[in-house]
């Protein structure tokens, strides 16, 4: 198969979907790899490192899309890429369709095959290609939140861990999944008072056992959240419903309950955000203020630490990408249930129900699409 790796062009996105080591694995299996010039530079990988393992460097993004049968990316295509995508071309990347109707319709129109990292799902319901970036984003949420709590950055001027004789900050984490657990662990390690909420009592019991003593667990409901936001200095949104739009746990009217200079970090922004006043921002302009409350809503947080993020992501994605290349997407998805659940859009049809539901589109069960395609 012909693999294409374009350079990411989203604002300040420095990750790359394939390392030279990954390119070497594809070549070892007999596949051709084309990488756009400087695609790996932001993550510390030079063109010469790709060439050394047998990949071919192409000068433009148009050339990469034009030659590739499978495009491997990090972030969803943006508008300038829509016209480059070919019918039947396989795109393997993060899509987060439920947060963008424009992207969904563009991919339907392209008649491409869109396999989303974020909905590849194991039998135990874990999301193996979302976990590594969730770990990075969860830890970064506290790092960024602590920075924006500083007075010159617009925050309350509070040191997260306090000092002797001065209370530490109060951190509220909404959601007890991978992002939430990593955020709570980081905040607790810095000495903050942490409260983590979730709707799953078994998950709360687990978190109670593994997290430090300065982390409290609370059942998530509107009454409890309204009460907790009053004293929170930093609030982290870490809610995920696989493939679907995140619910609004913090509503517009709750802002008036918060102290001026409170910082909100919504990690769920690429799925629509779990904070109603959230809208996507960039690393270039990461924050905005509403009613005296600082909002940090960068949609590609791990892009700020590309070396760590690229290695963490490609460690997880490469085995699946190799399967797709070795077998073709039809056979790979028919034989591997994890990959089958990653299919979101196939040849003009929405085959992931949460995406169809988000925009009132017709839903085609993925099995119907695969049954019509000979797998050899």
């Amino acid at each position: 198969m012909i693999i294409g790796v374009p350079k990411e062009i989203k604002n300040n996105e420095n990750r790359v979907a394939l390392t030279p080591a990954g390119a070497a694995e594809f070549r070892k299996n007999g596949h051709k790899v084309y990488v756009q010039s400087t695609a790996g530079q932001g993550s510390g990988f030079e063109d010469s490192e790709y060439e050394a393992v047998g990949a071919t460097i192409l000068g433009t993004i148009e050339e990469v899309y034009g030659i590739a049968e499978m495009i491997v990316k990090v972030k969803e295509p943006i508008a300038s890429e829509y016209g480059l995508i070919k019918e039947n071309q396989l795109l393997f990347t993060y899509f987060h369709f439920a947060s963008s109707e424009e992207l969904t319709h563009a991919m339907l129109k392209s008649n491409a095959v869109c396999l989303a990292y974020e909905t590849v799902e194991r039998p135990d319901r874990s999301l193996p290609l979302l976990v590594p970036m969730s770990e990075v984003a969860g830890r970064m949420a506290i790092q960024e939140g602590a920075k924006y709590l500083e007075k010159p950055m617009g925050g309350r001027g509070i040191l997260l861990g306090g000092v002797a004789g001065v209370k530490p900050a109060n951190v509220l984490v909404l959601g007890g999944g991978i992002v939430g657990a990593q955020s709570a662990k980081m905040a607790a390690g810095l000495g903050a008072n942490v409260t983590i909420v979730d709707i799953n009592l078994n998950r709360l019991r687990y978190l109670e056992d593994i997290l430090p003593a300065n982390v409290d667990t609370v059942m998530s409901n509107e009454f409890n959240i309204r009460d907790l936001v009053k004293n929170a200095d930093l609030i982290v949104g870490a809610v995920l419903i696989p493939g679907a739009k995140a619910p609004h746990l913090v509503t517009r009217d709750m802002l008036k309950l918060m102290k001026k200079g409170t910082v909100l970090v919504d990690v769920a922004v690429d799925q629509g955000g779990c904070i109603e006043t959230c809208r996507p921002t960039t690393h270039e302009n990461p924050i905005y203020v509403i009613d005296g409350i600082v909002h940090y809503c960068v949609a590609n947080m791990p892009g700020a630490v590309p070396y760590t993020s690229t290695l963490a992501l490609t460690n997880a994605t490469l085995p699946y990408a190799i399967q797709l290349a070795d077998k073709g997407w039809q056979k790979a998805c028919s034989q591997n249930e994890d990959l089958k659940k990653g299919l979101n859009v196939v040849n003009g049809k929405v085959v992931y129900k949460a995406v169809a539901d988000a925009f009132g589109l017709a839903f085609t069960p993925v099995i119907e699409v695969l049954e019509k395609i000979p797998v050899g």
Side-chain angles (χ1 to χ4, degrees):
M1 185 177 282
I2 302 172
I3 316 301
V5 184
K7 183 173 182 175
E8 299 295 325
I9 52 178
K10 194 164 187 172
N11 182 282
N12 276 289
E13 180 51 75
N14 294 298
R15 289 172 289 180
V16 65
L18 191 69
T19 64
E25 289 300 309
F26 275 117
R27 292 293 296 133
K28 187 172 73 176
N29 285 32
H31 306 293
K32 295 179 180 179
V33 180
Y34 292 88
V35 180
Q36 186 181 347
S37 180
T38 71
Q41 205 167 66
S43 296
F45 304 114
E46 299 297 331
D47 289 350
S48 58
E49 295 178 68
Y50 289 98
E51 290 177 313
V53 297
T56 301
I57 301 298
L58 296 177
T60 67
I61 193 170
E62 289 82 5
E63 290 175 279
V64 174
Y65 272 99
I67 200 169
E69 295 171 284
M70 175 166 74
I71 292 288
V72 184
K73 280 176 51 61
V74 177
K75 293 301 289 181
E76 73 282 352
I78 63 173
S80 61
E81 293 172 89
Y82 295 166
L84 304 178
I85 298 166
K86 301 180 296 187
E87 184 174 357
N88 295 321
Q89 194 168 46
L90 172 62
L91 278 74
F92 191 36
T93 186
Y94 288 118
F95 278 103
H96 301 290
F97 279 118
S99 65
S100 176
E101 189 169 5
E102 177 192 340
L103 173 66
T104 304
H105 283 291
M107 293 305 99
L108 287 169
K109 184 179 178 182
S110 74
N111 281 313
V113 178
C114 302
L115 209 159
Y117 290 165
E118 71 273 8
T119 63
V120 171
E121 184 177 327
R122 289 188 177 135
D124 64 2
R125 302 200 68 191
S126 64
L127 305 169
L129 306 189
L130 197 59
V131 166
M133 293 305 93
S134 295
E135 291 173 328
V136 173
R139 294 181 178 210
M140 277 192 70
I142 301 304
Q143 188 171 298
E144 297 300 318
K147 179 169 72 178
Y148 286 101
L149 272 174
E150 296 172 9
K151 198 67 176 179
M153 308 303 289
R156 296 194 64 227
I158 292 180
L159 184 64
L160 212 58
V163 292
V166 182
K167 288 183 178 181
N170 295 317
V171 176
L172 172 60
V173 180
L174 305 171
I178 302 296
V179 171
Q182 294 297 322
S183 292
K185 185 187 296 185
M186 288 292 285
L190 289 170
N193 289 325
V194 184
T195 301
I196 186 167
V197 304
D198 199 273
I199 58 172
N200 185 328
L201 196 54
N202 287 331
R203 181 65 178 177
L204 291 177
R205 288 193 182 104
Y206 171 74
L207 294 171
E208 184 84 20
D209 285 341
I210 66 163
L211 291 173
N214 54 329
V215 180
D216 294 320
T217 58
V218 173
M219 198 66 182
S220 179
N221 56 52
E222 184 179 346
F223 182 88
N224 286 342
I225 291 171
R226 281 187 177 276
D227 184 54
L228 290 166
V229 299
K230 296 173 186 174
N231 295 311
D233 302 298
L234 170 60
I235 300 173
V236 177
V239 176
L240 173 71
I241 300 175
K245 192 173 173 65
H248 290 153
L249 299 189
V250 174
T251 56
R252 177 73 170 78
D253 67 298
M254 290 184 192
L255 298 190
K256 66 178 183 290
L257 302 175
M258 302 175 193
K259 296 172 284 192
K260 302 297 183 188
T262 295
V263 175
L264 309 181
V265 178
D266 197 344
V267 183
V269 62
D270 50 13
Q271 285 291 124
C274 63
I275 296 168
E276 187 177 7
T277 47
C278 153
R279 56 176 170 78
T281 61
T282 65
H283 289 293
E284 196 170 73
N285 296 293
I287 65 165
Y288 56 92
V289 179
I290 297 177
D291 294 346
I293 308 302
V294 180
H295 293 61
Y296 178 98
C297 305
V298 175
N300 61 325
M301 288 175 63
V305 286
Y307 181 77
T308 299
S309 296
T310 290
L311 291 176
L313 178 62
T314 56
N315 284 343
T317 58
L318 185 62
Y320 289 105
I322 293 287
Q323 286 185 52
L324 291 166
D326 285 352
K327 300 176 181 179
W329 72 267
Q330 302 98 324
K331 190 172 184 179
C333 291
S334 293
Q335 295 179 350
N336 187 318
E337 288 293 324
D338 299 10
L339 281 171
K340 185 188 292 184
K341 290 181 179 178
L343 289 169
N344 278 220
V345 172
V346 176
N347 299 134
K349 295 181 174 67
V350 178
V351 297
Y352 198 87
K353 193 171 188 307
V355 175
D357 291 348
F359 306 118
L361 297 170
F363 167 65
T364 302
V366 68
I367 190 67
E368 291 185 18
V369 175
L370 291 174
E371 282 174 352
K372 293 175 183 176
I373 300 169
V375 297

